[in-house]
C-alpha cells in the first residue's frame, strides 16, 4: 500500500523514546528550550490574531520579516530580502532545500553522527546520503582528507551543522575554510544548518554565510526565541535558489503562518537580552551536567562547545538503544547515539534544556543505572 519513500525512512529515534516514556519521566531527550518566549513577542502574537492577521500570507514570508531577517544577517554578509525565504521551521527549510536541489542519484555528504532529519530528507528527495564521520578526538570537526575521498562525480552537496546536534561540536574557522575550498573545487552546494547559532560557550560562532556563492543557509526562530511550537525558520541563499525554493515551499506548506511571523518581527525589532540570559543559563547547566556525568564510572563526557546537548560515550557492554531503554525504565528520557547514525553508537545524547533541579535528579537516576551495569 505504501510508497517506497514511506518505508525507506524510519520513525526518528528521538520520537521513539518520547513515545515509549512512562508518565512523569524527566525529559532530557527533546531539544527545546524550557523558557517562555519574551513577553513582547507573546503580546505581538495576541495582537496579531485579535486584529485579523489570521489569513494566508505570501509564500516566501511577509516582506517586512524577510527584510528584517536580511538586516539581521548583514552582520555576516550583505543579504537582500529576495535572498531570504521564511519557512515553517528549519525542518521545512531543509525539506524544501532537498526537494529543490537534490535529484535522483545525487549524493549528499552528511555528518555521522548528525541531526536525525538530514539523511531522511536526502532519501525523501531520492538522493543518497553519504556519511562523513565526526569524532570526539577531533572535537567533532570533519577530517578533510576523508571528505575528499567521499566526493564522487555524483556528489551534489554537503550538509554542515555548527553548532551541532547531537555532539555540541562547533566548527572552527579553519574547518570552514577547508570545507568551502572542497566545495569550490568540486562545485558542491553547502547546506549549512546554523539553528544553534547563539548557543556557543567556547570561542564564537563562525558562519558559512557569505563565504561562498553556493551556500544555502538554514536557520530558525525555534531555539533562539524558545518557540519550537510556532514553526518558523528561514533560508538565505542566492536569489535564483530562493525563487525555486519558494516554488517548492508553496506546494509543501502554501505559506508560513501569518500571526507568528508578525510576532517574530516584534522579536527581531525588540530587545535581545532574553537570548543572552537564556544562553548564560544554558552555559551554567552545561557545567553542572558535564561535571556530574564525568563522575559516573563508565561514562566519558567531552565538553560541548555549543548547542545544548551533551554526547557522552559509555563503555558498558550493550547498545546505546538498550542503555537508553534501561535509563527510560529508571524514569529519564534520553536519546541513543545510534539515532544519529552508525557513528553515534556507544554514545547517549542528553539535552540540558531542562531545569537545574531536573538535570541533577535525572543524572542521579542515570548514575544508578550505570552502577547496576558496572
Ligand atoms: C540541527 C537542527 N536543525 C533543525 C532543527 C529543526 O528546527 P525547527 O524547529 O526550526 O524545525 C533542529 C531541531 O532540533 C535541529 O537540531
Amino acid at each position: 500500500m505504501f510508497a517506497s519513500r514511506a518505508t525507506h525512512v524510519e520513525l526518528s529515534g528521538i520520537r521513539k523514546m518520547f513515545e515509549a516514556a512512562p508518565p512523569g519521566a524527566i525529559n532530557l531527550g527533546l531539544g527545546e528550550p524550557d523558557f517562555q518566549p519574551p513577553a513582547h513577542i507573546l503580546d505581538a502574537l495576541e495582537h496579531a490574531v485579535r486584529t485579523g492577521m489570521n489569513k494566508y500570507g505570501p509564500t516566501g514570508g511577509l516582506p517586512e520579516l524577510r527584510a528584517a531577517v536580511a538586516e539581521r544577517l548583514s552582520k555576516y554578509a550583505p543579504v537582500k530580502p529576495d535572498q531570504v525565504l521564511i519557512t515553517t521551521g528549519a525542518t521545512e527549510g531543509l525539506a524544501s532545500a532537498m526537494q529543490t536541489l537534490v535529484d535522483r542519484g545525487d549524493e549528499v555528504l552528511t555528518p555521522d553522527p548528525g541531526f536525525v532529519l538530514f539523511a531522511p530528507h536526502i532519501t525523501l528527495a531520492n538522493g543518497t546520503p553519504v556519511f562523513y564521520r565526526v569524532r570526539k578526538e577531533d572535537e567533532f570537526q570533519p577530517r578533510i582528507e576523508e571528505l575528499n575521498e567521499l566526493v564522487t562525480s555524483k556528489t551534489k552537496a554537503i550538509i554542515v551543522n555548527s553548532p551541532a546536534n547531537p555532539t555540541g561540536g562547533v566548527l572552527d574557522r579553519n574547518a570552514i575554510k577547508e570545507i568551502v575550498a572542497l566545495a569550490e573545487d568540486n562545485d558542491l552546494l553547502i547546506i549549512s544548518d546554523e539553528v544553534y547559532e547563539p548557543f556557543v560557550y567556547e570561542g564564537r560562532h563562525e558562519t558559512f554565510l557569505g563565504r561562498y556563492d553556493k551556500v544555502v543557509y538554514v536557520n530558525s526562530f525555534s531555539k533562539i526565541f524558545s518557540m519550537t511550537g510556532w514553526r518558523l525558520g528561514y533560508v538565505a541563499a542566492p536569489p535564483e535558489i530562493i525563487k525555486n525554493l519558494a516554488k517548492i515551499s508553496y506546494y509543501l506548506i502554501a505559506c508560513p503562518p501569518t500571526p507568528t511571523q508578525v510576532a517574530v518581527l516584534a522579536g527581531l525589532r525588540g530587545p535581545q537580552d532574553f537570548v543572552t540570559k537564556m544562553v548564560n543559563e544554558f552555559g551554567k547547566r552545561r557545567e553542572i551536567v558535564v561535571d556530574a556525568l564525568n563522575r559516573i564510572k563508565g561514562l566519558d563526557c567531552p565538553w560541548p562547545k555549543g548547542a545544548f546537548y551533551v554526547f557522552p560515550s559509555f563503555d558498558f557492554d550493550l547498545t546505546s538503544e538498550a542503555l537508553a531503554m534501561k535509563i527510560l525504565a529508571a524514569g529519564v528520557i534520553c536519546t541513543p547515539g545510534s539515532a544519529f547514525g552508525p557513528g553515534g553508537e556507544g554514545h547517549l545524547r542528553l539535552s540540558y534544556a531542562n531545569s537545574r533541579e531536573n538535570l541533577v535528579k535525572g543524572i542521579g537516576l542515570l548514575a544508578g543505572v550505570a552502577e547496576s551495569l558496572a
Side-chain angles (χ1 to χ4, degrees):
M1 168 162 92
F2 295 108
S4 61
R5 80 178 64 81
T7 53
H8 285 164
V9 291
E10 279 186 35
L11 185 66
S12 126
I14 300 178
R15 288 275 152 183
K16 258 192 227 167
M17 297 302 294
F18 192 55
E19 283 166 19
I26 295 175
N27 194 349
L28 308 185
L30 270 190
E32 56 183 359
D34 56 322
F35 296 85
Q36 268 287 74
H40 64 284
I41 300 186
L42 297 177
D43 291 345
L45 178 65
E46 188 179 348
H47 186 259
V49 293
R50 290 206 184 278
T51 54
M53 305 291 291
N54 300 304
K55 311 288 185 205
Y56 292 129
T59 295
L62 298 177
E64 305 90 307
L65 183 57
R66 294 174 81 175
V69 169
E71 196 186 316
R72 178 184 166 75
L73 294 176
S74 65
K75 67 181 171 191
Y76 295 135
V79 173
K80 300 215 176 72
D82 68 347
Q83 290 168 262
V84 174
L85 178 81
I86 307 298
T87 58
T88 45
T91 299
E92 192 255 318
L94 288 166
S96 290
M98 298 303 165
Q99 293 296 327
T100 306
L101 299 164
V102 175
D103 242 328
R104 183 176 297 281
D106 284 346
E107 293 175 0
V108 179
L109 304 179
T110 189
D112 172 28
F115 179 46
V116 293
L117 291 188
F118 296 151
H121 275 313
I122 300 165
T123 305
L124 290 173
N126 294 318
T128 306
V130 175
F131 290 112
Y132 64 87
R133 280 298 304 273
V134 290
R135 302 171 178 85
K136 182 170 76 176
E137 60 268 33
D138 302 329
E139 296 191 332
F140 303 110
Q141 317 273 322
R143 292 185 184 168
I144 206 75
E145 62 283 5
E146 284 185 4
L147 286 177
N148 262 310
E149 276 167 23
L150 292 171
V151 173
T152 71
S153 58
K154 293 183 182 160
T155 312
K156 180 75 184 273
I158 174 167
I159 297 178
V160 286
N161 174 215
S162 176
N165 178 3
T167 62
V170 171
L171 293 178
D172 61 28
R173 191 174 280 215
N174 189 48
I176 290 181
K177 214 170 98 195
E178 288 184 331
I179 293 167
V180 167
L182 173 107
E184 272 171 348
D185 290 350
N186 296 283
D187 194 27
L188 307 183
L189 288 154
I190 296 178
I191 298 170
S192 183
D193 177 328
E194 301 185 25
V195 305
Y196 295 101
E197 168 201 350
F199 301 92
V200 177
Y201 314 101
E202 290 176 35
R204 46 172 246 169
H205 176 67
E206 298 283 348
T207 183
F208 278 87
L209 192 68
R211 303 282 170 93
Y212 170 51
D213 57 1
K214 291 178 78 178
V215 170
V216 179
Y217 170 94
V218 180
N219 208 329
S220 171
F221 299 108
S222 283
K223 321 277 174 176
I224 185 172
F225 290 146
S226 192
M227 48 173 65
T228 47
W230 289 22
R231 313 308 306 127
L232 271 192
Y234 54 96
V235 174
E240 199 51 28
I241 294 185
I242 291 295
K243 225 161 74 192
N244 282 280
L245 269 172
K247 189 167 69 179
I248 294 293
S249 181
Y250 170 74
Y251 290 110
L252 294 176
I253 59 149
C255 66
T258 303
T260 49
Q261 288 186 80
V262 175
V264 156
L265 190 56
L268 289 178
R269 288 178 176 160
Q272 301 299 307
D273 54 331
F274 167 81
V275 184
T276 318
K277 278 191 203 140
M278 180 171 60
V279 175
N280 284 344
E281 172 59 20
F282 281 148
K284 291 186 190 124
R285 293 180 191 177
R286 165 184 176 258
E287 296 190 2
I288 294 170
V289 168
V290 175
D291 275 347
L293 287 171
N294 278 330
R295 278 199 215 110
I296 300 174
K297 216 170 145 227
L299 289 192
D300 177 39
C301 184
W303 284 90
K305 289 191 171 161
F308 36 75
Y309 307 103
V310 281
F311 199 60
S313 57
F314 59 84
D315 59 14
F316 307 120
D317 193 15
L318 73 183
T319 63
S320 57
E321 190 165 337
L323 179 58
M325 281 299 175
K326 280 185 186 292
I327 296 168
L328 188 67
V332 181
I333 308 174
C334 66
T335 313
S338 58
F340 303 96
E345 190 47 90
H347 294 76
L348 295 172
R349 188 198 75 170
L350 283 77
S351 158
Y352 47 92
N354 206 323
S355 67
R356 296 187 196 191
E357 189 192 346
N358 275 343
L359 290 170
V360 170
K361 209 161 132 194
I363 294 173
L365 293 167
L366 195 158
V369 174
E371 235 167 74
S372 73
L373 294 168

mmCIF file of all heavy atoms in Angstrom, residues 41 44 62-69 221 225 232 260-270:
data_model
loop_
_atom_site.group_PDB
_atom_site.id
_atom_site.type_symbol
_atom_site.label_atom_id
_atom_site.label_comp_id
_atom_site.label_asym_id
_atom_site.label_seq_id
_atom_site.Cartn_x
_atom_site.Cartn_y
_atom_site.Cartn_z
ATOM 1 N N ILE A 41 6.978 39.468 22.593
ATOM 2 C CA ILE A 41 6.648 38.613 21.438
ATOM 3 C C ILE A 41 5.264 37.988 21.634
ATOM 4 O O ILE A 41 4.447 37.928 20.708
ATOM 5 C CB ILE A 41 7.729 37.520 21.236
ATOM 6 C CG1 ILE A 41 9.094 38.166 20.979
ATOM 7 C CG2 ILE A 41 7.340 36.588 20.106
ATOM 8 C CD1 ILE A 41 10.200 37.195 20.614
ATOM 9 N N ALA A 44 2.708 40.570 20.939
ATOM 10 C CA ALA A 44 2.569 40.830 19.496
ATOM 11 C C ALA A 44 1.760 39.718 18.830
ATOM 12 O O ALA A 44 0.956 39.978 17.917
ATOM 13 C CB ALA A 44 3.956 40.951 18.857
ATOM 14 N N LEU A 62 6.262 37.215 4.995
ATOM 15 C CA LEU A 62 5.889 38.635 4.986
ATOM 16 C C LEU A 62 7.106 39.466 4.559
ATOM 17 O O LEU A 62 8.210 39.257 5.097
ATOM 18 C CB LEU A 62 5.437 39.086 6.377
ATOM 19 C CG LEU A 62 4.193 38.386 6.945
ATOM 20 C CD1 LEU A 62 3.911 38.892 8.365
ATOM 21 C CD2 LEU A 62 2.983 38.610 6.046
ATOM 22 N N PRO A 63 6.914 40.412 3.623
ATOM 23 C CA PRO A 63 8.066 41.207 3.151
ATOM 24 C C PRO A 63 8.823 41.890 4.283
ATOM 25 O O PRO A 63 10.060 41.938 4.267
ATOM 26 C CB PRO A 63 7.428 42.243 2.214
ATOM 27 C CG PRO A 63 6.092 41.696 1.847
ATOM 28 C CD PRO A 63 5.661 40.753 2.926
ATOM 29 N N GLU A 64 8.092 42.391 5.307
ATOM 30 C CA GLU A 64 8.788 43.080 6.414
ATOM 31 C C GLU A 64 9.689 42.108 7.171
ATOM 32 O O GLU A 64 10.762 42.478 7.643
ATOM 33 C CB GLU A 64 7.788 43.657 7.441
ATOM 34 C CG GLU A 64 6.733 44.568 6.886
ATOM 35 C CD GLU A 64 5.478 43.791 6.466
ATOM 36 O OE1 GLU A 64 5.604 42.821 5.683
ATOM 37 O OE2 GLU A 64 4.387 44.152 6.905
ATOM 38 N N LEU A 65 9.235 40.863 7.309
ATOM 39 C CA LEU A 65 10.043 39.886 8.037
ATOM 40 C C LEU A 65 11.266 39.479 7.198
ATOM 41 O O LEU A 65 12.379 39.341 7.728
ATOM 42 C CB LEU A 65 9.207 38.654 8.425
ATOM 43 C CG LEU A 65 9.952 37.606 9.262
ATOM 44 C CD1 LEU A 65 10.513 38.210 10.559
ATOM 45 C CD2 LEU A 65 9.033 36.431 9.613
ATOM 46 N N ARG A 66 11.060 39.316 5.896
ATOM 47 C CA ARG A 66 12.210 38.987 5.027
ATOM 48 C C ARG A 66 13.256 40.091 5.122
ATOM 49 O O ARG A 66 14.459 39.823 5.197
ATOM 50 C CB ARG A 66 11.758 38.802 3.584
ATOM 51 C CG ARG A 66 10.853 37.583 3.411
ATOM 52 C CD ARG A 66 10.312 37.502 2.004
ATOM 53 N NE ARG A 66 11.265 36.918 1.069
ATOM 54 C CZ ARG A 66 10.981 36.656 -0.203
ATOM 55 N NH1 ARG A 66 9.780 36.925 -0.692
ATOM 56 N NH2 ARG A 66 11.883 36.115 -1.002
ATOM 57 N N ALA A 67 12.781 41.332 5.141
ATOM 58 C CA ALA A 67 13.716 42.470 5.224
ATOM 59 C C ALA A 67 14.427 42.478 6.581
ATOM 60 O O ALA A 67 15.636 42.716 6.655
ATOM 61 C CB ALA A 67 12.965 43.781 4.999
ATOM 62 N N ALA A 68 13.673 42.173 7.651
ATOM 63 C CA ALA A 68 14.289 42.178 8.989
ATOM 64 C C ALA A 68 15.320 41.058 9.117
ATOM 65 O O ALA A 68 16.368 41.227 9.745
ATOM 66 C CB ALA A 68 13.208 42.043 10.056
ATOM 67 N N VAL A 69 15.025 39.910 8.515
ATOM 68 C CA VAL A 69 15.996 38.796 8.556
ATOM 69 C C VAL A 69 17.245 39.177 7.755
ATOM 70 O O VAL A 69 18.381 38.962 8.201
ATOM 71 C CB VAL A 69 15.363 37.484 8.033
ATOM 72 C CG1 VAL A 69 16.426 36.415 7.823
ATOM 73 C CG2 VAL A 69 14.295 36.978 8.995
ATOM 74 N N PHE A 221 13.724 30.284 14.204
ATOM 75 C CA PHE A 221 13.402 31.054 15.412
ATOM 76 C C PHE A 221 13.062 30.120 16.580
ATOM 77 O O PHE A 221 12.837 30.577 17.690
ATOM 78 C CB PHE A 221 12.231 32.005 15.135
ATOM 79 C CG PHE A 221 12.547 33.004 14.055
ATOM 80 C CD1 PHE A 221 11.962 32.914 12.807
ATOM 81 C CD2 PHE A 221 13.465 34.013 14.292
ATOM 82 C CE1 PHE A 221 12.283 33.823 11.813
ATOM 83 C CE2 PHE A 221 13.790 34.933 13.306
ATOM 84 C CZ PHE A 221 13.200 34.836 12.055
ATOM 85 N N PHE A 225 14.251 32.050 20.140
ATOM 86 C CA PHE A 225 13.159 32.690 20.874
ATOM 87 C C PHE A 225 12.340 31.673 21.670
ATOM 88 O O PHE A 225 11.247 31.984 22.134
ATOM 89 C CB PHE A 225 12.235 33.470 19.916
ATOM 90 C CG PHE A 225 12.858 34.712 19.325
ATOM 91 C CD1 PHE A 225 12.548 35.110 18.029
ATOM 92 C CD2 PHE A 225 13.739 35.503 20.063
ATOM 93 C CE1 PHE A 225 13.101 36.260 17.480
ATOM 94 C CE2 PHE A 225 14.305 36.661 19.515
ATOM 95 C CZ PHE A 225 13.988 37.037 18.225
ATOM 96 N N LEU A 232 8.586 28.429 12.809
ATOM 97 C CA LEU A 232 9.094 29.464 11.901
ATOM 98 C C LEU A 232 10.614 29.412 11.799
ATOM 99 O O LEU A 232 11.302 29.328 12.825
ATOM 100 C CB LEU A 232 8.720 30.857 12.396
ATOM 101 C CG LEU A 232 7.400 31.467 11.948
ATOM 102 C CD1 LEU A 232 7.378 32.935 12.320
ATOM 103 C CD2 LEU A 232 7.138 31.297 10.466
ATOM 104 N N THR A 260 2.377 34.215 13.636
ATOM 105 C CA THR A 260 3.685 34.028 14.296
ATOM 106 C C THR A 260 4.773 34.843 13.580
ATOM 107 O O THR A 260 5.729 35.286 14.211
ATOM 108 C CB THR A 260 4.078 32.541 14.378
ATOM 109 O OG1 THR A 260 3.913 31.932 13.114
ATOM 110 C CG2 THR A 260 3.259 31.806 15.415
ATOM 111 N N GLN A 261 4.596 35.081 12.271
ATOM 112 C CA GLN A 261 5.583 35.938 11.586
ATOM 113 C C GLN A 261 5.536 37.364 12.131
ATOM 114 O O GLN A 261 6.562 38.005 12.321
ATOM 115 C CB GLN A 261 5.299 35.973 10.091
ATOM 116 C CG GLN A 261 5.639 34.695 9.372
ATOM 117 C CD GLN A 261 5.457 34.877 7.879
ATOM 118 O OE1 GLN A 261 6.321 35.428 7.213
ATOM 119 N NE2 GLN A 261 4.330 34.437 7.359
ATOM 120 N N VAL A 262 4.305 37.848 12.370
ATOM 121 C CA VAL A 262 4.158 39.203 12.909
ATOM 122 C C VAL A 262 4.834 39.267 14.286
ATOM 123 O O VAL A 262 5.558 40.218 14.606
ATOM 124 C CB VAL A 262 2.658 39.576 13.029
ATOM 125 C CG1 VAL A 262 2.487 40.928 13.705
ATOM 126 C CG2 VAL A 262 1.994 39.574 11.658
ATOM 127 N N ALA A 263 4.635 38.222 15.088
ATOM 128 C CA ALA A 263 5.200 38.201 16.441
ATOM 129 C C ALA A 263 6.730 38.127 16.400
ATOM 130 O O ALA A 263 7.418 38.804 17.170
ATOM 131 C CB ALA A 263 4.622 37.022 17.213
ATOM 132 N N VAL A 264 7.265 37.331 15.482
ATOM 133 C CA VAL A 264 8.720 37.198 15.373
ATOM 134 C C VAL A 264 9.345 38.520 14.935
ATOM 135 O O VAL A 264 10.441 38.888 15.371
ATOM 136 C CB VAL A 264 9.061 36.038 14.413
ATOM 137 C CG1 VAL A 264 10.435 36.211 13.829
ATOM 138 C CG2 VAL A 264 8.981 34.708 15.152
ATOM 139 N N LEU A 265 8.628 39.234 14.093
ATOM 140 C CA LEU A 265 9.113 40.543 13.661
ATOM 141 C C LEU A 265 9.298 41.446 14.886
ATOM 142 O O LEU A 265 10.323 42.125 15.018
ATOM 143 C CB LEU A 265 8.099 41.147 12.677
ATOM 144 C CG LEU A 265 8.521 42.394 11.923
ATOM 145 C CD1 LEU A 265 9.805 42.175 11.150
ATOM 146 C CD2 LEU A 265 7.402 42.826 10.967
ATOM 147 N N ALA A 266 8.332 41.395 15.802
ATOM 148 C CA ALA A 266 8.461 42.171 17.047
ATOM 149 C C ALA A 266 9.677 41.671 17.826
ATOM 150 O O ALA A 266 10.403 42.453 18.455
ATOM 151 C CB ALA A 266 7.198 42.034 17.888
ATOM 152 N N GLY A 267 9.911 40.380 17.782
ATOM 153 C CA GLY A 267 11.066 39.791 18.473
ATOM 154 C C GLY A 267 12.383 40.300 17.903
ATOM 155 O O GLY A 267 13.315 40.613 18.637
ATOM 156 N N LEU A 268 12.464 40.395 16.584
ATOM 157 C CA LEU A 268 13.705 40.858 15.951
ATOM 158 C C LEU A 268 13.935 42.344 16.200
ATOM 159 O O LEU A 268 15.074 42.795 16.303
ATOM 160 C CB LEU A 268 13.662 40.588 14.441
ATOM 161 C CG LEU A 268 13.762 39.119 14.012
ATOM 162 C CD1 LEU A 268 13.650 39.001 12.499
ATOM 163 C CD2 LEU A 268 15.074 38.502 14.485
ATOM 164 N N ARG A 269 12.835 43.087 16.283
ATOM 165 C CA ARG A 269 12.975 44.543 16.465
ATOM 166 C C ARG A 269 13.155 44.924 17.927
ATOM 167 O O ARG A 269 13.623 46.017 18.221
ATOM 168 C CB ARG A 269 11.731 45.253 15.912
ATOM 169 C CG ARG A 269 11.695 45.222 14.387
ATOM 170 C CD ARG A 269 10.441 45.891 13.867
ATOM 171 N NE ARG A 269 10.431 45.967 12.424
ATOM 172 C CZ ARG A 269 9.342 46.146 11.687
ATOM 173 N NH1 ARG A 269 8.161 46.257 12.285
ATOM 174 N NH2 ARG A 269 9.421 46.202 10.377
ATOM 175 N N GLY A 270 12.758 44.038 18.837
ATOM 176 C CA GLY A 270 12.775 44.367 20.270
ATOM 177 C C GLY A 270 14.109 44.045 20.921
ATOM 178 O O GLY A 270 15.086 43.691 20.255
#
